[in-house]
Amino acid sequence: MADLIERLLDGLPADAVLTDPDVTRAYAGDMAGFCPPGEPAVVVLPRTVEQVQHVMRTATATRTPVVPQGARTGLSGGANASDGCIVLSLLRMDRILEVDPVERIAVVEPGVVNAALSRAVAEHGLCYPPDPSSWEQCTIGGNIGTASGGLCCVKYGVTAEYVLGLEVVLADGRLLHTGRRTAKGVAGYDLTRLFVGSEGSLGVVVKAVLALRPRPPRTLVLAAEFPSARAAGDAVCRIMADGHTPAVLELMDRTTLRAVNDLTRMGLPETTEALLLAGFDTADPAGDLRAVALLCEAAGAVEVVPAEDAAESELLMKARRSALVALEAVKGTTMIDDVCVPRARLADMLDGVAAIAERHGLTIGVCAHAGDGNTHPTVCFDAADPEESARARLSFDEIMALGLELGGTITGEHGVGVLKKEWLAREIGPVGIELQRGVKEVFDPLGLLNPGKLF
Amino acid sequence: MADLIERLLDGLPADAVLTDPDVTRAYAGDMAGFCPPGEPAVVVLPRTVEQVQHVMRTATATRTPVVPQGARTGLSGGANASDGCIVLSLLRMDRILEVDPVERIAVVEPGVVNAALSRAVAEHGLCYPPDPSSWEQCTIGGNIGTASGGLCCVKYGVTAEYVLGLEVVLADGRLLHTGRRTAKGVAGYDLTRLFVGSEGSLGVVVKAVLALRPRPPRTLVLAAEFPSARAAGDAVCRIMADGHTPAVLELMDRTTLRAVNDLTRMGLPETTEALLLAGFDTADPAGDLRAVALLCEAAGAVEVVPAEDAAESELLMKARRSALVALEAVKGTTMIDDVCVPRARLADMLDGVAAIAERHGLTIGVCAHAGDGNTHPTVCFDAADPEESARARLSFDEIMALGLELGGTITGEHGVGVLKKEWLAREIGPVGIELQRGVKEVFDPLGLLNPGKLF
Ligand SMILES: Cc1cc2nc3c(=O)[nH]c(=O)nc-3n(C[C@H](O)[C@H](O)[C@H](O)COP(=O)(O)OP(=O)(O)OC[C@H]3O[C@@H](n4cnc5c(N)ncnc54)[C@H](O)[C@@H]3O)c2cc1C
Ligand SMILES: Cc1cc2nc3c(=O)[nH]c(=O)nc-3n(C[C@H](O)[C@H](O)[C@H](O)COP(=O)(O)OP(=O)(O)OC[C@H]3O[C@@H](n4cnc5c(N)ncnc54)[C@H](O)[C@@H]3O)c2cc1C
């Protein structure tokens, strides 16, 4: 252990190596429930690629596990320390190296915060679409690690669509370049995309070339109130089948609406079973909203209220973005599921979750990226109550089982981490697991990178 | 050999096993020059997943190499037979199994022709964007194998963006499911994307879940004539930097224009150095074209002619689509390069290619997906003239070297195949090659799938 620290200090400044347990403990875990992290041996905060290489060489020489970390906003335990590991935090590698409006790319270090990048590229009239609700905290490295989504995916896709090339420090400290800076490129296997969503288990991302888009016009949103989950799900299907491409299509159930009101005093309607927010950033958003309003009414909406302007729209989006935090306030603790189902099964998913909540006597609020079928059933419970916690955990798993039954996936955007390890095997089957393990071994034969995650 | 055929016939109908050398030779190679194919031992044309599994089990048992094949329109030798191999043609697995407008997906067998899928989904008001110019022949399996692009990539992206899930028969005959049917999903490593562009070397795609989009309005196109490659490249940069998102942004140089005129009697302008076609499928295409026309003029366009209507636009696009065939007519044979460079280096690329053509006394026409920086310098030569052929081959390689020098990639969309094997190593370096080989071994430890390609 003393030896490990000494070796690390050979290539890192003293202020980049933290060993005080009170300090290192603060880096131990991400935001996931039910997966207590281990105790790291040390936290390192490199500033350069060479320093990251030094850390990995040291880890390989001493056979010490390494847990790469961004802002630890992850919801699956993917950034959790294991006992005796090196926590490799990329937070200090936070420079935006380049923004190029002609190539429509940004080149960034992994510790750049998502919102910081968004603001920087906005100055050039550009946007970086992936927008997880945690965007003010989470880092691009973490977004790549988890293949993050967000609100605008229904129109603009997820992180995987925006990563063109990477620099990655491998487990043995070597530097790998993948992908390209050009708009297109197919030279060899797509290792870039293999890293996206690999949860720090194949290498440490130290630089990324990201695709940007022109900044769209501001989004105009409507809110539609539905008397049932089924009616709201039906509206989503009608909107998508009718050829619309909303920039957001989000859903909040009654439990979530109430929680948001309690937190924000926003006065959202609480008598409705499901509120749908549909937004357009097109040339004629008002026209698109009118068409969608008709479809919502045809599906049984009892009230459809278009926002007056972009400011009112932003307020509605703020309500949606605060959903998780609001639900957390209900009972102190939440477990946020992330099941993505075919759109046509959205209503079945919502009804099924309601049944699970009732069976276990629990409060489960659902918000969803409804346009993608990506639901976040959020189990609210009192972590100090072991019996309620056990029920919460049970319902969390039942929700995943329900998602698989409906033809969905256990994770639309939050990743597998520790929390869903057993479930990954259920979803992808033994052949898939065997090949994934094989891929892991190619990149990390000693199994040092983020051990115990994914499989 | 007789044993191999007998074993194959154990699980395949007689009409699915071709052994007559005159027949099998017709399946030996794709459209690439300078890489003569080997002689296959047998061509199999299975109709079911089980039959493909039988082929792969037989190949594994007898240690026979297998070359998966679509329509053999590939331009890199990726579908070329090796001596004594089994050619596994997927052409008879050509059913569209499902088109679902709510989920916006199609589920298809690999032998479905790209244009057939486009027509089928158009009936539902949907489109499948990737549109290689070979779309009337090439198959979805081949598109996935090569990670195909096309004209509309500048707005809609490439094949990788549209493959959500796959069924793949592995080298040993086992069936692997990857990905999902849902809009999002991040459960485990992205093996789906790993197969896209893997050129038949990791497994045989037998089913694909593809993402669809609502059919956009018809594209309105303008043609802008430039006095130099530099001016045309400048226009491309201005258009992209100004925040436009054209549905097509294509370029043809003077050599190409002349060739197209010779073939089609279209009367395209031959006095211009470079013709740019910019098209929009937006709500107000005429307005977008007006803005782009101004940018073209600012960059030095001598003439800007907007198409009167969609029909005239389609005619211009037809001219562009016939470019390769037209260039082939110039001297009988062509070698089509596929170098993608940063947009800002487009003019350097074009000027550099002109210099290479002059140095070697060759005709090299350039057409390009200019909005992506993806150029197709096409070397025209007489294959019966060994000396000219040698110069053609040399210039082909010099073009790739130039592309790398300009910060580009050796292949934007056609793949590596046999033709660019040595170049792959130059582009991605020894660490990349080592990892790619490692990945290959995980999926195909005996090295039976499409040996001699990529590496
Ligand atoms: C309030 C709230 C709202 C959220 N909303 C969304 C949402 O809308 N959509 C969504 O997708 N997620 C959401 N999340 C989850 C989380 O924010 C995302 O997963 C985010 O991408 C994590 O980024 P991070 O920087 O916090 O990464 P971390 O949590 O620190 O790490 C995430 C994973 O990436 C790996 N990693 C981090 N950096 C690197 C690197 N440089 N190289 C290699 N591996 C690395 C880690 O090992 C870990 O496995 C939300 C979370 C919260 C708390
Ligand atoms: C006139 C012309 C224009 C072209 N224009 C374009 C263009 O605009 N953009 C572009 O990207 N390309 C273009 N191409 C190249 C070519 O059409 C594409 O690469 C196409 O995707 C190949 O499809 P195919 O069915 O012919 O596949 P093939 O040539 O038969 O095979 C291509 C590769 O895929 C593999 N493969 C095929 N099927 C499977 C399967 N089921 N499972 C696993 N592997 C498989 C093969 O082994 C091979 O490596 C053009 C070609 C021509 C002749």
Side-chain angles (χ1 to χ4, degrees), chain A residues 184, chain B residues 30-31 67-80 88 90-91 110-111 131-135 137-151 198-201 203-206 320-321 324-325 336 369 376 413-414 417 450 453:
Chain A
K184 284 155 79 181
Chain B
D30 67 14
M31 310 274 226
V67 178
Q69 257 186 13
R72 288 178 290 110
T73 67
L75 294 169
S76 69
N80 275 8
L88 172 49
L90 283 309
L91 284 177
D131 62 345
S133 298
S134 54
W135 67 334
Q137 288 90 46
C138 66
T139 66
I140 296 298
N143 296 168
I144 293 171
T146 52
S148 261
L151 300 186
S198 66
E199 304 191 5
S201 68
V204 184
V205 172
V206 290
R320 169 60 188 90
R321 282 210 187 85
L324 289 189
V325 180
I336 305 154
H369 309 306
H376 293 311
E413 56 181 23
H414 294 167
N450 218 0
K453 313 294 161 63

Side-chain angles (χ1 to χ4, degrees), chain A residues 52-410:
Chain A
V52 174
Q53 291 184 281
H54 175 73
V55 172
M56 293 314 303
R57 281 193 207 105
T58 307
T60 291
T62 59
R63 301 291 191 270
T64 315
V66 174
V67 178
Q69 259 186 10
R72 287 176 293 110
T73 67
L75 294 169
S76 68
N80 277 7
S82 46
D83 281 329
C85 79
I86 300 170
V87 162
L88 172 49
S89 169
L90 283 309
L91 285 177
R92 289 190 188 161
M93 291 181 70
D94 64 352
R95 287 179 306 159
I96 297 172
L97 302 171
E98 210 184 318
V99 178
D100 187 326
V102 168
E103 310 305 335
R104 290 192 184 162
I105 58 173
V107 184
V108 302
E109 291 184 336
V112 169
V113 169
N114 182 297
L117 178 63
S118 288
R119 280 189 283 267
V121 304
E123 285 174 29
H124 299 268
L126 295 165
C127 76
Y128 176 68
D131 62 342
S133 299
S134 54
W135 67 334
E136 289 285 1
Q137 288 89 46
C138 67
T139 66
I140 297 298
N143 295 168
I144 292 172
T146 52
S148 262
L151 299 186
C152 71
C153 302
V154 60
K155 179 163 182 180
Y156 294 105
V158 292
T159 298
E161 262 86 62
Y162 294 90
V163 185
L164 300 181
L166 292 174
E167 281 185 25
V168 179
V169 174
L170 298 172
D172 59 13
R174 286 185 301 170
L175 191 62
L176 170 71
H177 299 255
T178 74
R180 77 250 181 209
R181 284 174 63 94
T182 50
K184 284 155 79 181
V186 295
Y189 300 140
D190 190 346
L191 299 188
T192 306
R193 252 69 174 261
L194 194 60
F195 279 104
V196 177
S198 66
E199 304 190 6
S201 68
L202 298 180
V204 183
V205 173
V206 290
K207 200 192 274 190
V209 182
L210 304 174
L212 306 173
R213 281 179 177 263
R215 230 166 108 86
R218 294 184 69 177
T219 304
L220 207 63
V221 176
L222 69 68
E225 298 175 35
F226 291 91
S228 67
R230 190 141 308 270
D234 183 26
V236 169
C237 291
R238 285 173 191 249
I239 292 167
M240 299 309 282
D242 203 45
H244 295 281
T245 304
V248 288
L249 190 51
E250 296 288 320
L251 180 146
M252 290 183 276
D253 73 353
R254 190 211 293 242
T255 305
T256 306
L257 291 170
R258 203 171 297 162
V260 172
N261 277 345
D262 287 349
L263 185 80
T264 65
R265 313 272 152 227
M266 267 192 162
L268 300 169
E270 291 189 12
T271 51
T272 183
E273 281 304 313
L275 188 79
L276 206 61
L277 301 179
F280 286 86
D281 59 2
T282 50
D284 177 23
D288 288 317
L289 287 186
R290 273 195 300 277
V292 162
L294 291 177
L295 294 171
C296 286
E297 278 158 10
V302 287
E303 181 95 52
V304 182
V305 187
E308 293 281 313
D309 52 26
E312 215 178 288
S313 296
E314 190 40 45
L315 213 68
L316 285 168
M317 295 317 299
K318 269 223 174 93
R320 168 61 188 88
R321 282 211 187 84
S322 64
L324 289 189
V325 180
L327 285 165
E328 213 153 78
V330 173
K331 290 218 133 190
T333 310
T334 53
M335 275 199 84
I336 304 153
D337 231 319
D338 174 40
V339 170
C340 191
V341 295
R343 293 178 189 111
R345 309 310 295 273
L346 206 49
D348 292 331
M349 187 69 207
L350 294 169
D351 286 347
V353 169
I356 290 170
E358 196 174 317
R359 193 157 62 244
H360 291 292
L362 286 165
T363 301
I364 306 183
V366 182
C367 51
H369 309 307
D372 295 319
N374 191 178
T375 66
H376 293 311
T378 303
V379 189
C380 306
F381 64 101
D382 177 0
D385 177 344
E387 193 271 332
E388 191 174 66
S389 302
R391 277 183 286 136
R393 172 77 232 203
L394 209 61
S395 68
F396 186 80
D397 284 356
E398 286 178 15
I399 288 166
M400 282 191 279
L402 173 63
L404 289 181
E405 213 174 281
L406 296 175
T409 168
I410 55 162

Side-chain angles (χ1 to χ4, degrees), chain A residues 104 155-156 161-162 183-184 193 213 245, chain B residues 127-131 148-163 193 211-219 240 245-249 279-283 372:
Chain A
R104 290 192 184 162
K155 179 163 182 180
Y156 294 105
E161 262 86 62
Y162 294 90
K184 284 155 79 181
R193 252 69 174 261
R213 281 179 177 263
T245 304
Chain B
C127 76
Y128 175 69
D131 62 345
S148 261
L151 300 186
C152 71
C153 301
V154 60
K155 179 163 182 178
Y156 294 106
V158 293
T159 298
E161 261 86 64
Y162 294 90
V163 185
R193 251 70 173 261
L212 305 172
R213 280 178 177 264
R215 228 164 109 86
R218 294 184 72 178
T219 303
M240 298 310 281
T245 305
V248 288
L249 189 52
F280 287 85
D281 59 1
T282 49
D372 295 319

Side-chain angles (χ1 to χ4, degrees), chain B residues 162-286:
Chain B
Y162 294 90
V163 185
L164 301 180
L166 293 173
E167 281 185 25
V168 178
V169 174
L170 298 171
D172 59 13
R174 286 185 300 170
L175 190 62
L176 169 72
H177 299 254
T178 74
R180 76 252 180 205
R181 284 174 62 95
T182 51
K184 286 156 76 182
V186 295
Y189 300 140
D190 191 346
L191 298 188
T192 307
R193 251 70 173 261
L194 194 60
F195 279 102
V196 177
S198 66
E199 304 191 5
S201 68
L202 299 179
V204 184
V205 172
V206 290
K207 200 192 275 187
V209 183
L210 304 174
L212 305 172
R213 280 178 177 264
R215 228 164 109 86
R218 294 184 72 178
T219 303
L220 207 61
V221 176
L222 69 69
E225 297 175 37
F226 291 89
S228 67
R230 189 139 312 268
D234 184 26
V236 170
C237 292
R238 285 172 192 250
I239 292 167
M240 298 310 281
D242 203 45
H244 295 281
T245 305
V248 288
L249 189 52
E250 296 289 319
L251 180 145
M252 289 183 278
D253 73 353
R254 190 211 294 242
T255 306
T256 307
L257 292 170
R258 203 171 297 161
V260 172
N261 277 344
D262 287 348
L263 185 80
T264 65
R265 311 273 154 228
M266 266 190 164
L268 299 169
E270 291 189 10
T271 52
T272 183
E273 282 305 313
L275 188 78
L276 206 59
L277 301 179
F280 287 85
D281 59 1
T282 49
D284 177 24

